[in-house]
Amino acid sequence: PVVLVRTCWGVASQPTYLLFAVSAALAMASLFVYVGSAPAIILDHWHLSETQFHTIFFPIVGGFVCASLAAGRFAGRVKRATQVKLGFGMLVISALVGVIAHATLASVPIPLTQFSWFLMACGAQLTYPVLSLEMLDMFPRARGAAESVQAFIALSVGAVVMGLLAPVLNGNLAHLALFSLACGAIAWLCWRWGTLLH
């Protein structure tokens, strides 16, 4: 246990690794805050039934699938940094579209919101595996510890976002869009900072 704790601490205290881990966690959190808010969005704001939760999950899962297929095509052909830039671009722009739509329209059409989620899921899925590989490559002799620390950070951020912040935001799509944009922007800044230190 002592060796394990020492190894994990050595991984977690590396600044570039920590920035990449926070970046990956926030990229997913920008999307998962909507998952945590699904009951309030579906039932209270969109006034749909209990059998219509697919209106949230289909666009998100579809985005993950499409981005996974694209990432498979990119492997070995597109530079990692290019893929991350594309992913963060999609993530931030789609969140910004949501913020602008809720600021200018009295009632944002559901399909527009769903399309925003689709693009957001694509962006998050393009960034996450590249950041994970970068983190694992930093510790070739302690990859298990690197993956464990990353999972701990991602789960901790996800727990706070879905268990604490999502209920506070109460499905308010305008506030959720702002939160999502903030997460995406901070995730991008963490990645940029990490690449400068790397």
Side-chain angles (χ1 to χ4, degrees), residues 87-97 120 180-181 183-186 188:
F88 276 126
M90 294 176 73
L91 189 66
V92 172
I93 290 171
S94 57
L96 184 60
V97 167
M120 206 176 294
S180 184
L181 178 61
C183 281
I186 295 170
W188 177 79

Side-chain angles (χ1 to χ4, degrees), residues 38 73 143 152 191:
R73 298 278 183 169
R143 292 190 175 206
F152 175 78
W191 172 69

Side-chain angles (χ1 to χ4, degrees), residues 29-166:
S30 67
L31 181 65
F32 284 165
V33 69
Y34 289 103
V35 176
S37 304
I41 294 171
I42 295 294
L43 303 176
D44 300 335
H45 294 278
W46 285 354
H47 306 292
L48 301 177
S49 71
E50 294 84 353
T51 61
Q52 292 178 294
F53 277 77
H54 62 274
T55 54
I56 285 182
F57 298 116
F58 278 7
I60 293 174
V61 173
F64 284 151
V65 171
C66 290
S68 294
L69 293 172
R73 298 278 183 169
F74 291 166
R77 301 176 186 175
V78 177
K79 292 181 179 179
R80 287 182 181 179
T82 302
Q83 182 174 327
V84 173
K85 287 177 185 176
L86 177 62
F88 276 126
M90 294 176 73
L91 189 66
V92 172
I93 290 171
S94 57
L96 184 60
V97 167
V99 170
I100 293 171
H102 287 287
T104 57
L105 300 176
S107 178
V108 178
I110 291 177
L112 177 59
T113 303
Q114 291 174 312
F115 183 65
S116 174
W117 291 339
F118 173 80
L119 290 180
M120 206 176 294
C122 287
Q125 185 61 27
L126 285 175
T127 60
Y128 199 87
V130 174
L131 291 171
S132 296
L133 287 173
E134 291 287 339
M135 286 183 274
L136 291 176
D137 288 348
M138 290 179 200
F139 300 95
R141 295 186 178 181
R143 292 190 175 206
E147 179 57 33
S148 296
V149 174
Q150 180 195 353
F152 175 78
I153 292 171
L155 290 172
S156 297
V157 171
V160 171
V161 168
M162 293 181 70
L164 179 64
L165 297 178

